[in-house]
Amino acid sequence: MSSERNRGRARTVEEWLGRLASRDAGAREEALSALEESLVSGEPESRERTARALLVELGRPGTAVAEPLLFLLQRGWWPPQAGLTGLAVQSVLAVLARMEAESPALENAAGVLAGVCRVDASQLAALDGMFQHPKASVRGAMARVVGRLGTAAASELPRLLKLLEDEESVALSALESLAALAPLAPELTAPRLLEQVRGSDGARLYLALVSLRGLLDELHGEARPVPVLPDLEPALLRTLTAPEAPIRQEAASLLGLSGPLSPAAVAALREHLRDESPHVAARSAVALVRSGAPAAEALFLLKGQLGPAASRELQEAALAALEDADPAQLGRARGMLETVARDAAGLTREALYQLLGQLP
């Protein structure tokens, strides 16, 4: 903090905003600190006055400080004052359309809009047209806004699902948001995620698998009905042959969640007990244990990965696979885990006994 501030000379918000555009890095840093302090810890009237000044400057067509303003608002403006939500949406949308596609400020813009809409749900209506905006970066930002709305996002799910049909960058943002929101409407989201699993590859396929696994995990954990997905197993068997280990890993985990397995699925998982990736091998083993299929070979593999002679990588792969599974489905592994835990040491021993304490 500068000596000028320490002596108590109070600058106005407008003066600090002027210094935010300074060529002097120290002056910019000081201005950021002062504005954040006023935005976060000032008196209610001072906080509102500061927020209003930031939003007015943000919406000014010639502003040169949009990025630091969005950073400040995303980081320190909570909760947004109800009287400023309309101005906030107007200002953020004005600058959003001018941003470069790779601008880090896009994430902050989405955060500000989401915070505003969580406080004032009526502002969601002002975002409607932005889901069809000509710029993909804006449509992607809208997907991220919806992903941060929590339960308020339920009404926006149809728009979010529509973005799955958009170009790759937008679809990826939509899938990232669905990872958190799919449980809000499983009957609507699960079939669409399965479509993505069947018809995509690469990053889009990986995110679809992660989102679908998160959905099924939550439904099982809360004893909620799981949507009928008759084509799930064939789609997962296809992805289990993908060249990318993270995709094979997610496919194996999902097979363990998908109910009784066909002989073809059991054979495929047994084959992947010898996968070059220890994480895929461990997930395949846990899937076999969870599914009720013959598991002697799977338990033998997990015992080897957890044993004292195994590398740290192997131990971590096995522990991660076991810890991600529903303990209620791991009863058949109790004997193996008790044997391994007796010979284990350090963090591995601690993790094993914690896991054993969760088994039925």
Side-chain angles (χ1 to χ4, degrees), residues 312 315-316 319 323 344-354:
R312 187 63 187 161
Q315 291 178 346
E316 289 177 349
L319 284 172
E323 289 170 348
L347 294 175
T348 299
R349 177 185 176 89
E350 182 180 331
L352 286 170
Y353 275 111
Q354 184 174 358

Side-chain angles (χ1 to χ4, degrees), residues 85 115-126 149 152 155-156:
T85 55
V116 165
C117 291
R118 287 172 64 187
V119 167
D120 182 1
S122 69
Q123 295 300 329
L124 283 168
L149 291 178
S155 64
E156 303 302 306

Side-chain angles (χ1 to χ4, degrees), residues 102-274:
E102 302 301 321
S103 172
L106 284 167
E107 194 68 32
N108 289 330
V112 175
L113 288 174
V116 165
C117 291
R118 287 172 64 187
V119 167
D120 182 1
S122 69
Q123 295 300 329
L124 283 168
L127 305 183
D128 286 355
M130 305 305 284
F131 287 86
Q132 294 86 38
H133 195 276
K135 292 184 68 172
S137 59
V138 175
R139 301 194 301 275
M142 291 303 103
R144 293 195 285 275
V145 170
V146 175
R148 296 181 178 193
L149 291 178
T151 55
S155 64
E156 303 302 306
L157 280 174
R159 290 188 179 90
L160 188 64
L161 292 170
K162 181 69 175 174
L163 293 180
L164 293 177
E165 304 165 13
D166 210 309
E167 61 184 82
E168 191 74 358
S169 63
V170 180
L172 292 178
S173 293
L175 280 168
E176 288 173 355
S177 291
L178 275 173
L181 301 178
L184 292 176
E187 296 291 342
L188 177 65
T189 58
R192 295 299 302 279
L193 287 171
L194 179 54
E195 285 178 13
Q196 293 292 308
V197 171
R198 285 202 303 261
S200 60
D201 54 22
R204 189 187 291 222
L205 172 57
Y206 175 74
L207 287 174
L209 289 166
V210 169
S211 297
L212 188 55
R213 180 165 71 91
L215 170 60
L216 297 187
D217 259 331
E218 184 159 338
L219 295 178
H220 281 298
E222 297 178 355
R224 294 167 59 190
V226 177
V228 177
L229 299 170
D231 299 328
L232 178 59
E233 187 180 283
L236 294 177
L237 290 178
R238 178 185 70 84
T239 59
L240 199 56
T241 64
E244 303 93 342
I247 289 177
R248 299 198 303 277
Q249 180 178 324
E250 289 298 324
S253 294
L254 264 167
L255 280 168
L257 281 167
S258 60
L261 298 176
S262 70
V266 171
L269 286 170
R270 290 183 65 191
E271 179 66 27
H272 282 280
L273 295 175
R274 294 177 286 279

Side-chain angles (χ1 to χ4, degrees), residues 14 17-18 20-21 51-66 69 87 91 95 98:
E14 289 72 22
L17 282 170
L20 200 59
R52 183 182 298 276
L54 297 185
L55 292 168
V56 168
E57 175 61 27
L58 180 65
R60 189 172 64 83
T63 186
V65 291
L69 289 175
L87 174 61
S91 296
V95 75
R98 301 197 299 267

